[in-house]
Amino acid sequence: MHSNLQRAVADVLAANQEVKFSNVLTAYIRIAGFQKSSLDVLTTFERAMDKHPDCKDQVNSESAKLVAKLRHDYWKTMFDWGGKQHCCPCCVNLVEQYIDDPDKFEEAFSNLHEVKADNQFRTYTYKINLSDDANPLQEINTLFLHFKSAKALAKEEEAKYGKVRAGSANLGDPSRGPELMTAGPYRPITLTTYSARLNDVHTRASVSFNKVTGAPLPSLKVDITLEGSPVYEGSEVVLKETSGKEIKREYVRLQGSIDSFRDLVQWHLSPEEVNLWWPVGYGEQKLYDVTVTLVGSNRQFLDVKTKRIGFRSVELIQEPLAEPDQYGSGTTFLFEINGIRIFIGGSNWIPADNFLTTITEERYRAWLTLLRDGNQNMVRIWGGGIYEPDIFFDICDELGILVWQDFQFACGVYPAHPAFVESVRKEAMDNVTRLRHHPSLTLFCGNNEDYQMILQWGDTEDLPARVLYEHIFPEIVAKLTDPPIPYHRGSPYGGKGWDTADPTIGDVHQWDIWGGKEYPYHDYDRRGGRFVSEFGIPSMPDMRTIAHWMDGADNSQWYSQSTLMAQHTKAGAFERRFAIVMNENFRLTSDLETHVYNTQLMQSEAVSYAYRSWRRAWRGRGKEYTSGVLVWQLNDCWPGTSWAIVDYFLRPKPSYFTIARQLTPIAIGIHRTVVKNRKNDRPHQFYEFGAMQSHDATIDVWGTNTTNHCRLVKLELTCHDLNSSWTHSERHNVTLLPNQSTELLSIRCPGPPKEGVEPPSGDPIWTSSYSVVVNARLIDSDGKVLARFADWPQPYRYLDVPDPQLSVELIDEQVTVSVQRPVKGLWFSVDGDGPEVSWNDNSLDVVPGDSQVITAKGLGDRKLKVAYLGKEKASLVHV
């Protein structure tokens, strides 16, 4: 395997003469870290494996083993103290000369001053006194980095202490992407010179409320800590709008030689001076700049720091419910921002690339803007990734996205020996201090699924790292955040005896649909909890994304179960699990494009049904039975088949759009219950004409209103039979209560007349609703459609879907679509190459008499293609 990989990579990189390597690792690290984009490196290995079929099936496991098992350490120069990235030729030569003998290398550089680091999540500082005789700095200096084999070192630590943290794309979790042994600094390395400086500025922006009028009472306090010689005289604090307009300024004389000053300023501000920061959908994301200047004895500026802040309050409310629901009594788990209880709809976040240094500000912004535009208001930073950089939180502040931040522990039983606990303590202090001023930061959470390892999975009897989750982390969060940021021990966590599956308390991860007990996804409505912080179902990505990783592959590999497809599918037991969820509801197919479409529609139907059902359980004060839903996951770290609702190239899947429609401020839902002739284990939405018979069906209709005002609207219900021209319609005036769901209608499902029609299975007791599409709309007094939803009969594999007789009108970038017969999962795409088209909506369910309008930004003069249930292969549409 070693020689094959070397030969494969050498073949692909032959043109890059600047790359010299004595083994795969050396070439890989240099290209991945310093010369190529992450996508190029992934493509390099994919194509290399195509040239050597004997390596294909082992590309993820064996290449990782090869990299990890190399006997020697590897080395790399990065940049000089001036910060300019370069590779010093003389050092490269020495690396090449000594790579097979590190001892000689250490002898050649025996005068190096060494700084050791063993925790990628910490900030390390090396202080040098320039007036000291031991000052190591010379006229010309080089920062030289030495990386030991991560896996070899990890195995040594595991042998002594147990589980180590390695990141999801390194030693870690193969279900996220390829296991790639990356190495190198992924945060800036800086040289700072000073006589005195601001070590930290703690901006304590808080909001309380007048108990009589409810008016907000914002305030700002500022603490500073200093380093260096006591040559300072005072400090000036300025509060400005981001436009530059000054709100308040104060100069404070600093007395004494202490290094910290609490309450440097204490400002009580009026609502006229500052506005509150709100999550998206609830108000404006108003931000302000606080600039603190350290002033010397001659009024010269010694240092200056600026923090961008927002004024908001945040609480995690866990209080007894007024009455039980289907799960029992228990307590709420909800977030209250500025005194308003907010239903959370959002996504989990994993690192957006295997190579962290390639994620630009523009790419972060594109990802998070997609989340915001999809009507989501929270992102959960998963504990198996990284603490994201400042720009991530800056963008969340701007867009109004709440952030749930896991401490970086996931899916493991971690040690608690003194050295490790102390290192993690410093890690927590570094990151809490760095992030605490962001108004988007809503929760710190101790870990991901570590408590679950004991009770639900039974992997171990004890959890040594409890000392971190139950003592170290909460103490640090309480000490370093003011106003306090809520802390939660773990996700999931709640119930007695660490019962992480208890739906009546805390949060839950629902993995008994995809995985676990493998219930049908139609059971999501019965398998929720107070806050569902993880759930999901995978699907294949856009055909163009598949074409990327299949580039150059033999035609024999273009089927859903090929080795190259499997290489890019990291979900455990995915073949069997896909077979279950697909076989239940969709017709089998051997055509790849049809299969891809069906997996996407399946994911879309499943996760949007979960959002719709669980948001229904937001039933008002004291009955917030489900207060939040976070899908696993928003994004991908590489091109592959995964749970992501947007693929690696930022191409949304159908599920992205159907979730967005469930999270609009005003939404509507329908639930169909089919009455069968006897008890059964089939989905309650399925019509059955075999071992069980379907005798009747009912529909429940509800609306959700997350605004703080009642809405008087008209409910319009229309029914269309797929097998005939029969239709039915009715209208009702209804009231949507504020900030909750409201039950609107519960009736027998309409169906066409049965006279003269043969029962589908010969049973004399039967329902004709088995082929009826039920469409509901909420319409305001001006005739505007506020929300719509179409409920189709299931399973889809039974349906004879008619030709919808599409009519598509295109004016500029506005697409209007109407139909003569119902259509499901209408997916628009573009014929031809060019910039990505940005769709404001897609994957539509359209019924006669209800045309829909969407925009296709960036379409240009390209032609439209469509696919839908019954015609899953995309084809050009006449406009």
Side-chain angles (χ1 to χ4, degrees):
M1 182 64 186
H2 188 161
S3 61
N4 286 337
L5 275 173
Q6 285 184 318
R7 188 172 69 254
V9 175
D11 288 345
V12 175
L13 302 179
N16 296 328
Q17 297 302 320
E18 76 279 9
V19 177
K20 299 177 180 179
F21 59 94
S22 59
N23 52 50
V24 175
L25 175 60
T26 310
Y28 178 67
I29 291 298
R30 291 182 187 166
I31 295 165
F34 311 112
Q35 295 172 11
K36 295 282 187 179
S37 73
S38 63
L39 185 57
D40 290 335
V41 176
L42 286 172
T43 303
T44 291
F45 273 89
E46 292 162 13
R47 294 181 179 177
M49 293 309 98
D50 287 342
K51 289 192 174 187
H52 298 279
D54 56 321
C55 299
K56 282 182 182 178
D57 295 337
Q58 305 176 70
V59 65
N60 290 301
S61 59
E62 293 302 325
S63 61
K65 292 176 185 176
L66 167 67
V67 170
K69 289 182 178 179
L70 290 173
R71 181 174 58 87
H72 299 306
D73 305 339
Y74 51 94
W75 313 73
K76 185 67 183 181
T77 54
M78 291 291 291
F79 46 81
D80 63 13
W81 287 117
K84 180 180 178 182
Q85 291 196 14
H86 73 287
C87 185
C88 173
C90 64
C91 291
V92 169
N93 291 337
L94 282 169
V95 170
E96 295 299 335
Q97 179 180 353
Y98 293 112
I99 195 160
D100 290 326
D101 195 341
D103 294 334
K104 291 183 179 179
F105 191 89
E106 291 175 4
E107 291 174 9
F109 285 87
S110 59
N111 62 334
L112 285 178
H113 288 257
E114 186 177 53
V115 181
K116 291 185 177 180
D118 62 0
N119 184 340
Q120 76 172 97
F121 302 129
R122 282 180 54 189
T123 299
Y124 291 86
T125 302
Y126 178 52
K127 295 182 179 180
I128 300 172
N129 189 336
L130 297 181
S131 61
D132 194 321
D133 292 339
N135 170 22
L137 292 181
Q138 307 298 320
E139 183 175 351
I140 298 175
N141 302 276
T142 299
L143 176 62
F144 196 82
L145 304 183
H146 166 199
F147 301 103
K148 293 187 175 182
S149 168
K151 190 156 191 174
L153 184 60
K155 291 302 180 184
E156 292 176 10
E157 293 295 299
E158 283 187 339
K160 291 187 289 185
Y161 304 115
K163 183 80 171 180
V164 300
R165 297 181 295 168
S168 58
N170 286 322
L171 311 182
D173 198 329
S175 67
R176 314 293 170 241
E179 293 187 56
L180 304 173
M181 297 298 297
T182 60
Y186 69 108
R187 294 285 191 268
I189 299 175
T190 60
L191 175 67
T192 304
T193 59
Y194 60 90
S195 54
R197 70 162 185 156
L198 293 160
N199 183 46
D200 182 60
V201 172
H202 185 191
T203 53
R204 295 150 59 203
S206 62
V207 179
S208 58
F209 295 89
N210 186 297
K211 294 182 178 179
V212 177
T213 66
L217 303 172
S219 65
L220 176 65
K221 299 177 182 179
V222 177
D223 306 336
I224 62 172
T225 57
L226 308 176
E227 276 190 325
S229 304
V231 295
Y232 44 80
E233 179 185 89
S235 181
E236 184 176 62
V237 182
V238 181
L239 175 66
K240 292 182 179 181
E241 296 185 0
T242 55
S243 64
K245 179 183 176 182
E246 185 173 312
I247 299 170
K248 205 171 186 69
R249 177 188 296 263
E250 184 175 345
Y251 180 81
V252 180
R253 183 174 293 277
L254 303 178
Q255 298 180 342
S257 57
I258 58 177
D259 59 4
S260 64
F261 294 85
R262 185 171 175 83
D263 297 337
L264 189 68
V265 298
Q266 301 183 64
W267 293 342
H268 296 286
L269 304 164
S270 70
E272 290 73 31
E273 289 178 297
V274 296
N275 296 326
L276 300 189
W277 181 95
W278 288 94
V280 60
Y282 289 84
E284 187 181 4
Q285 290 76 55
K286 191 67 177 178
L287 298 170
Y288 299 89
D289 289 332
V290 178
T291 300
V292 178
T293 304
L294 186 63
V295 181
S297 55
N298 297 320
R299 304 291 289 183
Q300 79 275 24
F301 288 175
L302 298 175
D303 197 10
V304 61
K305 285 186 181 295
T306 298
K307 293 286 181 75
R308 181 155 289 185
I309 67 167
F311 292 88
R312 64 95 180 93
S313 66
V314 56
E315 289 186 71
L316 174 61
I317 307 295
Q318 299 186 79
E319 63 186 17
L321 288 157
E323 56 186 76
D325 67 347
Q326 62 176 316
Y327 308 118
S329 297
T331 56
T332 63
F333 189 98
L334 63 88
F335 292 95
E336 188 173 279
I337 309 295
N338 298 333
I340 301 297
R341 297 188 170 196
I342 291 178
F343 181 86
I344 297 298
S347 291
N348 284 268
W349 172 272
I350 67 171
D353 205 290
N354 288 283
F355 304 108
L356 300 174
T357 55
T358 68
I359 311 173
T360 62
E361 175 181 344
E362 291 73 22
R363 200 154 170 228
Y364 273 125
R365 187 172 295 277
W367 276 114
L368 293 170
T369 300
L370 272 171
L371 184 141
R372 188 274 313 271
D373 291 349
N375 298 319
Q376 299 188 34
N377 58 17
M378 177 176 276
V379 60
R380 173 182 175 240
I381 301 177
W382 171 62
I386 62 169
Y387 299 96
E388 293 291 344
D390 295 336
I391 189 60
F392 183 99
F393 293 86
D394 292 340
I395 295 169
C396 288
D397 292 344
E398 294 174 28
L399 299 181
I401 299 170
L402 301 171
V403 179
W404 169 319
Q405 174 69 66
D406 281 359
F407 284 99
Q408 290 305 294
F409 288 82
C411 310
V413 178
Y414 296 94
H417 58 87
F420 182 69
V421 169
E422 183 58 25
S423 178
V424 173
R425 182 196 299 274
K426 292 176 180 177
E427 165 194 324
M429 293 177 66
D430 285 348
N431 286 286
V432 172
T433 300
R434 177 173 68 92
L435 301 175
R436 62 188 174 186
H437 69 282
H438 289 282
S440 59
L441 185 57
T442 306
L443 181 77
F444 280 110
C445 180
N447 68 82
N448 172 83
E449 296 184 351
D450 289 1
Y451 285 102
Q452 211 169 15
M453 300 287 291
I454 294 178
L455 184 71
Q456 282 184 260
W457 300 340
D459 288 1
T460 184
E461 295 180 357
D462 192 21
L463 194 63
R466 286 176 56 197
V467 67
L468 298 173
Y469 314 145
E470 299 175 15
H471 299 286
I472 302 296
F473 292 160
E475 289 170 5
I476 288 172
V477 172
K479 178 181 179 180
L480 296 182
T481 66
D482 180 19
I485 293 173
Y487 175 80
H488 185 48
R489 282 185 176 180
S491 181
Y493 184 85
K496 296 180 179 179
W498 303 343
D499 185 358
T500 54
D502 186 345
T504 69
I505 184 171
D507 68 317
V508 297
H509 291 186
Q510 182 45 265
W511 289 113
D512 271 338
I513 306 298
W514 178 271
K517 296 180 174 63
E518 296 180 343
Y519 295 119
Y521 66 73
H522 306 81
D523 276 9
Y524 271 132
D525 65 323
R526 303 175 180 181
R527 307 194 182 280
R530 300 298 174 240
F531 194 108
V532 184
S533 48
E534 273 192 26
F535 81 104
I537 286 183
S539 77
M540 300 188 78
D542 190 290
M543 282 297 296
R544 293 170 296 168
T545 301
I546 296 172
H548 163 76
W549 81 63
M550 296 293 288
D551 185 26
D554 189 85
N555 289 338
S556 64
Q557 288 291 305
W558 283 83
Y559 66 100
S560 63
Q561 296 169 298
S562 73
T563 55
L564 286 183
M565 292 296 179
Q567 179 185 317
H568 285 260
T569 307
K570 296 301 175 183
F574 68 91
E575 300 94 341
R576 179 170 52 81
R577 291 173 180 173
F578 262 131
I580 293 171
V581 292
M582 294 296 294
N583 207 24
E584 279 180 331
N585 217 3
F586 297 90
R587 296 183 182 184
L588 300 178
T589 178
S590 60
D591 178 75
L592 178 61
E593 186 175 351
T594 300
H595 177 74
V596 169
Y597 174 91
N598 284 343
T599 69
Q600 293 175 354
L601 182 60
M602 178 273 298
Q603 180 194 45
S604 172
E605 291 288 292
V607 299
S608 63
Y609 172 65
Y611 272 93
R612 185 163 61 253
S613 301
W614 292 333
R615 196 181 185 202
R616 183 186 187 185
W618 178 254
R619 297 185 183 271
R621 193 87 174 199
K623 294 186 288 185
E624 300 99 336
Y625 299 120
T626 298
S627 303
V629 183
L630 304 176
V631 71
W632 183 271
Q633 62 210 53
L634 174 69
N635 61 321
D636 261 336
C637 61
W638 78 319
T641 295
S642 79
W643 298 265
I645 62 174
V646 182
D647 76 24
Y648 177 83
F649 295 105
L650 291 115
R651 294 166 177 156
K653 299 178 184 178
S655 54
Y656 169 83
F657 297 101
T658 53
I659 291 171
R661 293 199 290 271
Q662 296 304 321
L663 292 177
T664 52
I666 304 292
I668 189 168
I670 302 174
H671 187 276
R672 187 181 316 212
T673 302
V674 178
V675 180
K676 303 180 180 68
N677 62 334
R678 56 189 173 88
K679 289 185 178 181
N680 60 89
D681 60 356
R682 305 296 291 147
H684 40 297
Q685 299 92 329
F686 275 18
Y687 288 92
E688 298 287 347
F689 302 104
M692 277 77 67
Q693 298 294 309
S694 300
H695 284 178
D696 207 348
T698 61
I699 58 170
D700 296 299
V701 183
W702 68 92
T704 305
N705 172 18
T706 51
T707 74
N708 291 314
H709 306 283
C710 279
R711 295 295 299 267
L712 304 179
V713 297
K714 182 176 291 184
L715 167 63
E716 179 189 85
L717 197 72
T718 59
C719 302
H720 300 267
D721 184 33
L722 296 174
N723 296 339
S724 71
S725 60
W726 174 88
T727 63
H728 169 82
S729 65
E730 54 188 85
R731 290 172 177 81
H732 306 268
N733 293 322
V734 298
T735 299
L736 301 178
L737 298 176
N739 201 14
Q740 67 172 82
S741 67
T742 304
E743 298 297 312
L744 303 178
L745 191 66
S746 183
I747 62 173
R748 189 178 188 182
C749 184
K754 296 191 288 184
E755 291 76 11
V757 179
E758 286 292 325
S761 63
D763 193 312
I765 304 175
W766 63 288
T767 173
S768 63
S769 63
Y770 69 90
S771 55
V772 172
V773 175
V774 181
N775 190 68
R777 301 196 302 175
L778 294 176
I779 304 171
D780 70 8
S781 58
D782 297 327
K784 179 183 178 182
V785 178
L786 301 174
R788 56 166 59 87
F789 177 71
D791 179 71
W792 278 58
Q794 298 184 65
Y796 300 138
R797 55 188 161 84
Y798 285 169
L799 300 180
D800 293 321
V801 181
D803 179 358
Q805 301 175 52
L806 283 173
S807 175
V808 177
E809 182 181 7
L810 176 62
I811 300 177
D812 294 329
E813 294 182 334
Q814 184 171 285
V815 180
T816 302
V817 57
S818 58
V819 297
Q820 298 300 310
R821 304 297 301 277
V823 65
K824 180 157 198 65
L826 180 61
W827 180 255
F828 283 93
S829 58
V830 175
D831 185 48
D833 297 328
E836 287 290 327
V837 173
S838 176
W839 305 90
N840 76 319
D841 203 358
N842 212 332
S843 193
L844 309 174
D845 291 351
V846 189
V847 299
D850 185 21
S851 61
Q852 297 188 38
V853 180
I854 62 176
T855 58
K857 187 176 180 180
L859 176 63
D861 59 359
R862 289 175 287 177
K863 295 181 179 180
L864 293 172
K865 299 171 71 176
V866 294
Y868 49 85
L869 182 66
K871 191 177 180 181
E872 294 82 3
K873 298 186 72 169
S875 60
L876 291 173
V877 62
H878 178 72
V879 177

